[in-house]
Amino acid sequence: MTSAEGTLPTEPAPGEATLRRPELRPLWDTLHSRLSSGRPVTHVRLGPLDDTQREALADLLGLDRLPAVRPSVPLTRLEEAVTELSGRTVREIVSELVGPLGDRAGERRRQRDERAELWAWLAEHETVRAQPALSDWAATCRAAGVVAGSVEHTRTLLTDALKVLAELPGQAEPLPVFAARVLGGRTHALDDGTPLSVLVLRALATLYDTVPPQSAAQRRALWIRAGVADDELSATVLVGGLRPAGDGLLARVATACAGAGQAACLTLAHVRYPGEFVLSEASVPVVHVVENPSVLALALRRFGPCCPPLVCTSGWPNSAAVQLLRMLADHGSALRYHGDFDGEGIRIAAYVLDKTPARPWRMTAADYRAAVALNPCGPQPGRITEAPWDLDLAEAMEEHGTAVVEELVAEVLLKDLAGTAQRRRRPGRS
């Protein structure tokens, strides 16, 4: 009878037939496991062996008596016996009789290296570096370990989460619409309870320094805070002194309020559909941005209709604030941001600087120390995270352990604005 290639099948050599005796199977199985460990092997311990297995082992090794029930066989002696019978090595015979040898130690090293590379990638990701508060979230991800034992699956999940975080605040879209836009049409990727939704909400809770949401209502509130599942009227931003040219609704509302020395409350709808909106370099070279409405109120009280352009985020900026700042920058304005000197204030500042082209305004460690010197008995600053624009700021805040809210440095800010107001004041105007 011939094989598929048309040649007669070959019978194993007599020596190899000895190696294939079923009584020696425990030997080859044990050798396969030991040699696949990836560690040096000098002896192989077997057993317990029955009498027929002991006889087969004695025949293989050329022993004049039966080995122990649980013998320890030197690998060198096995190599000699196998080579003499077959002309091949122990590894070759074991691979043929049992299967390819592995390298469990090497595999463990490879997995450790893959995990280390994954967590280093997450810690150094541009989104995490831009908002250092997220480094705590990255640490919790690492502590939780890889998802389903798969580094590749975990990296994919984290990549999606970072895409979502980079797109926040949202544009007042329903959650499925937001998910589809950011995640390539995957409408249900952020549905309640999905691994990705849990991961993103945990990041938002870390960013906002709140406890992770436990109920559906809390999860929805966190999404709304991030500008998702919101609406075009609920998201608003306060502005003062902004006089854009053009006949669009936003320009008319902002200009009318500026002329009256009042703040304008612009909705996301105003910002999203501004109509004709023009800024000239002469009229608005710089737009200052503050965190607290009280500072905007002080500026309007001080400067009235001559107030320079000022935007207030009212704490964490929502979608209306972020989109307005981006639009102002797109029209040629330079943005300068100031906020509270406390833990949350630094996180808000990092968020604003990451999401818009704004630059810090009197937010350095030197500015903080000068403010503390005048206000040394403030409250505790809360959880302090790194300020990407000034690596000394967090250290200074840790050293003094004192928060300085924006209102306490309002006079310094108003002096800066006074110079801007003076340059904007029309000739002959008092």
Side-chain angles (χ1 to χ4, degrees):
M1 184 175 178
T2 61
S3 66
E5 288 79 14
T7 59
L8 292 172
T10 57
E11 295 293 332
E16 292 202 13
T18 299
L19 298 177
R20 295 173 185 273
R21 292 175 60 180
E23 294 84 359
L24 290 177
R25 184 69 190 199
L27 168 65
W28 307 131
D29 287 342
T30 303
L31 268 171
H32 188 277
S33 176
R34 290 293 309 281
L35 294 174
S36 295
S37 69
R39 297 172 179 169
V41 178
T42 58
H43 288 71
V44 180
R45 182 170 294 280
L46 305 172
L49 303 179
D50 60 27
D51 289 345
T52 59
Q53 293 168 340
R54 294 165 66 197
E55 289 174 0
L57 183 59
D59 291 342
L60 173 64
L61 300 177
L63 304 178
D64 57 4
R65 65 183 68 183
L66 293 180
V69 174
R70 297 179 181 274
S72 178
V73 182
L75 185 60
T76 54
R77 182 69 189 90
L78 282 170
E79 287 283 7
E80 292 172 359
V82 168
T83 302
E84 182 178 346
L85 285 169
S86 66
R88 296 195 287 169
T89 66
V90 166
R91 286 180 173 272
E92 291 172 336
I93 292 298
V94 170
S95 296
E96 180 179 314
L97 297 180
V98 181
L101 293 171
D103 182 2
R104 292 194 296 275
E107 179 64 17
R108 287 192 293 271
R109 287 192 298 272
R110 184 187 65 78
Q111 290 177 354
R112 284 197 300 269
D113 290 345
E114 285 183 348
R115 285 177 168 84
E117 193 277 331
L118 170 70
W119 303 127
W121 163 80
L122 178 60
E124 295 299 316
H125 194 278
E126 59 183 359
T127 298
V128 176
R129 289 178 62 84
Q131 299 180 58
L134 291 176
S135 61
D136 291 341
W137 168 72
T140 63
C141 292
R142 179 169 188 164
V146 296
V147 179
S150 169
V151 170
E152 182 179 359
H153 178 65
T154 305
R155 183 186 288 267
T156 298
L157 191 61
L158 288 170
T159 298
D160 285 344
L162 292 164
K163 284 181 183 178
V164 171
L165 293 170
E167 286 292 323
L168 295 175
Q171 300 177 12
E173 304 155 295
L175 189 58
V177 176
F178 173 79
R181 177 171 64 83
V182 176
L183 300 170
R186 290 151 53 200
T187 306
H188 299 291
L190 293 172
D191 283 0
D192 205 21
T194 63
L196 181 57
S197 176
V198 171
L199 199 59
V200 172
L201 288 172
R202 190 188 306 156
L204 292 177
T206 301
L207 190 63
Y208 298 141
D209 201 22
T210 63
V211 296
Q214 301 299 316
S215 66
Q218 290 173 338
R219 291 189 287 272
R220 174 173 169 76
L222 202 53
W223 280 121
I224 290 175
R225 188 172 184 180
V228 181
D230 205 344
D231 62 75
E232 293 183 330
L233 300 183
S234 297
T236 62
V237 56
L238 293 172
V239 301
L242 186 63
R243 288 182 169 85
D247 195 43
L249 178 61
L250 192 155
R252 286 189 282 122
V253 170
T255 300
C257 290
Q262 298 291 327
C265 183
L266 303 177
T267 68
L268 178 59
H270 290 138
V271 178
R272 181 172 287 177
Y273 313 109
E276 186 182 4
F277 183 93
V278 180
L279 293 177
S280 66
E281 184 176 351
S283 65
V284 58
V286 178
V287 174
H288 289 84
V289 187
V290 295
E291 178 185 340
N292 296 283
S294 54
V295 177
L296 173 60
L298 289 172
L300 290 169
R301 186 182 307 165
R302 175 75 57 89
F303 303 113
C306 296
C307 185
L310 199 59
V311 176
C312 177
T313 66
S314 301
W316 284 92
N318 57 28
S319 50
V322 169
Q323 290 193 43
L324 175 64
L325 294 178
R326 289 173 177 171
M327 184 173 71
L328 292 172
D330 288 343
H331 281 75
S333 294
L335 307 177
R336 299 292 181 263
Y337 178 81
H338 187 278
D340 291 333
F341 280 119
D342 60 10
E344 185 170 38
I346 299 305
R347 288 189 291 277
I348 292 173
Y351 189 84
V352 173
L353 302 188
D354 179 42
K355 301 298 182 179
T356 75
R359 294 293 177 265
W361 169 32
R362 293 195 178 275
M363 287 291 288
T364 67
D367 294 316
Y368 169 73
R369 291 190 177 98
V372 169
L374 297 175
N375 305 277
C377 300
Q380 293 292 314
R383 180 169 67 97
I384 297 174
T385 50
E386 184 180 281
W389 63 92
D390 187 342
L391 299 182
D392 293 331
L393 180 53
E395 182 179 347
M397 293 176 68
E398 292 279 6
E399 176 187 347
H400 289 280
T402 298
V404 181
V405 296
E406 194 173 33
E407 291 84 349
L408 294 179
V409 296
E411 278 302 318
V412 176
L413 304 180
L414 293 177
K415 286 181 181 178
D416 288 348
L417 295 175
T420 304
Q422 184 65 37
R423 289 191 296 272
R424 287 172 52 83
R425 187 170 292 133
R426 297 172 185 174
R429 187 172 182 176
S430 60

